[in-house]
Structures are given as C-alpha cells and as structure tokens.
Amino acid sequence: MEPILTQDGTPTLFHPRYGEAYHPRQGALLQARRLYLEKTLTHLHPAPRVLEVGLGLLVNFRVTLESTLGRGVYLRYWAVEREPLPREVLARVRLPLPRAEEVFAEILKGWPNACFLGPWGELRILFGEVEALELPQDWATAVYLDPFSPRVNPGPWSLPVLKGLHRALRRGGRLATYSAQGVFRRALKEAGFALHRVPGVGKREWTVGIALKPPPG
C-alpha cells in the first residue's frame, strides 16, 4: 500500500479488501483533531484515558499525543486493532507533529509490541476482533470509534460492541465517530448513549454519544 495525500496535505492509505481509505479525502489530521480530539473534549482533559477502536495508521493517537505533550499531560491510550500494518508501511506515513513524531519513531522500533511506555504516557494495543475482546470497565474518558464503515465492517458498530464501549466509559465520557448511519445511531441510543449530531467536515454530520447514565442491563 502506497500513501495517498488527503486535501490537508497529510497522507493516508487505501485498503484494497475493504475498498475504503483509512481517512477521508478532506484530511487525516483534520478529522483527528476536529472530531476525535475536540468533540470528546480530550484536548481539555487533565488526565485523558482514550480507548480507540481501529488504530490504523496511529493518526488519532499521534494527534492526541501532540496535544497532551503540548499541555504537559500524561496520556493513557488503549487501542483495538485487528490488522496491524507492517512497520515499513507505517514509517511512510509521517505527520507534521514534531513532538508526537519523536515518540512515534520510538514506537516503530518496537512495533508491533502490545505495550509502549514512556514519560509521555502509555499505548496499549489489544490485537483482535473488538467483538471478542474484553475491554476495560469504567476506565475511558473518551472513545474514538474509527474502524472501517458499517457497510464493509459491521462488527465494531454492532449493539453488543456499543454496549461494551458504554461500559468502558466513565460517567460523562464521550464517544465520537465519523458515521451518521441511521441503524448505527439507533443502536448507539439503545446501548445507553445520549446521542448528539454535530456538523461534520466534508460530510453533513458526525456523531457523538455521551455516557450520562449507567448502561442498560
């Protein structure tokens, strides 16, 4: 897979099996910042704990890390990834994030280990299908739901997974995703999230779910 440029000048990759790119054509950095980092309020949190579904090219991780390093905040980041990309492929996708790229270079040396620790924080990777994994309970301040779309990869968007993500979030924690699919949004509500529609970039809407009450039994 060769990198392709998005409209904000940052690279992404096209996945031949799913027939989709890892990021929207409007920009990999733009979506990571405007949707995942900001709509979950992670850019303001004093002790962020992020759970990501779909680690991919580690763009969301790197954008979040750049934010926490700039604020002097320790980052705890857990991510689910079914198909980790080879080190040499990830090395070709570099971003204009000077602090985070230093850490990313060190991570690449040990890739694909399951745990990376440093003065910046921790990155733990759960390899496998999110449907079959045991997620942390009452742990995350934010969930980044960023797998391939429900059309080609329905498992991570299913009701059982969404209930598990609700249980993983602390009260008041936020889940953000690019999908505005109706079936998914109804499942998100059924999983116990308060649903918010937010303006998207390059598409009409994104989706934010807030865990305001205990998940349904």
Side-chain angles (χ1 to χ4, degrees):
M1 291 186 282
E2 290 298 323
I4 53 176
L5 287 181
T6 58
Q7 289 177 10
D8 65 5
T10 52
T12 190
L13 297 175
F14 185 83
H15 197 293
R17 181 158 72 86
Y18 289 115
E20 294 182 351
Y22 280 84
H23 301 97
R25 65 181 183 277
Q26 289 77 22
L29 277 182
L30 185 149
Q31 179 173 272
R33 285 174 174 151
R34 296 281 297 279
L35 173 58
Y36 293 108
L37 181 68
E38 295 178 7
K39 297 304 181 187
T40 62
L41 305 182
T42 300
H43 66 306
L44 303 175
H45 203 287
R49 296 183 176 193
V50 176
L51 173 61
E52 179 173 22
V53 179
L55 182 62
L57 307 179
L58 286 81
V59 173
N60 295 334
F61 166 71
R62 284 183 271 174
V63 166
T64 303
L65 180 61
E66 186 77 7
S67 171
T68 56
L69 287 171
R71 297 189 292 126
V73 169
Y74 190 88
L75 174 64
R76 299 186 68 185
Y77 202 103
W78 286 37
V80 175
E81 179 53 57
R82 179 173 61 186
E83 302 176 28
L85 289 164
R87 180 190 297 120
E88 60 271 18
V89 172
L90 291 175
R92 295 200 296 267
V93 181
R94 305 314 291 259
L95 303 173
L97 304 170
R99 300 182 185 93
E101 286 299 284
E102 287 188 19
V103 175
F104 182 59
E106 292 301 311
I107 287 172
L108 284 181
K109 293 177 183 177
W111 186 261
N113 290 342
C115 181
F116 300 90
L117 300 171
W120 50 272
E122 66 172 326
L123 170 64
R124 295 183 183 271
I125 307 170
L126 307 174
F127 294 109
E129 302 270 3
V130 66
E131 304 95 304
L133 293 171
E134 185 174 344
L135 301 177
Q137 302 291 299
D138 192 29
W139 180 84
T141 60
V143 167
Y144 297 173
L145 184 56
D146 196 22
F148 290 102
S149 75
R151 180 180 62 85
V152 300
N153 186 29
W157 308 89
S158 66
L159 180 58
V161 170
L162 297 178
K163 286 183 176 180
L165 294 176
H166 192 298
R167 288 190 292 269
L169 275 167
R170 293 181 169 185
R171 188 76 61 86
R174 294 185 171 215
L175 176 151
T177 185
Y178 64 87
S179 179
Q181 186 201 59
V183 173
F184 157 67
R185 280 180 162 172
R186 289 191 289 273
L188 196 66
K189 283 185 176 180
E190 188 175 346
F193 287 93
L195 179 64
H196 290 259
R197 302 165 185 259
V198 297
V201 176
K203 60 182 301 182
R204 190 165 62 90
E205 289 183 334
W206 289 327
T207 302
V208 173
I210 306 178
L212 294 179
K213 58 184 179 180

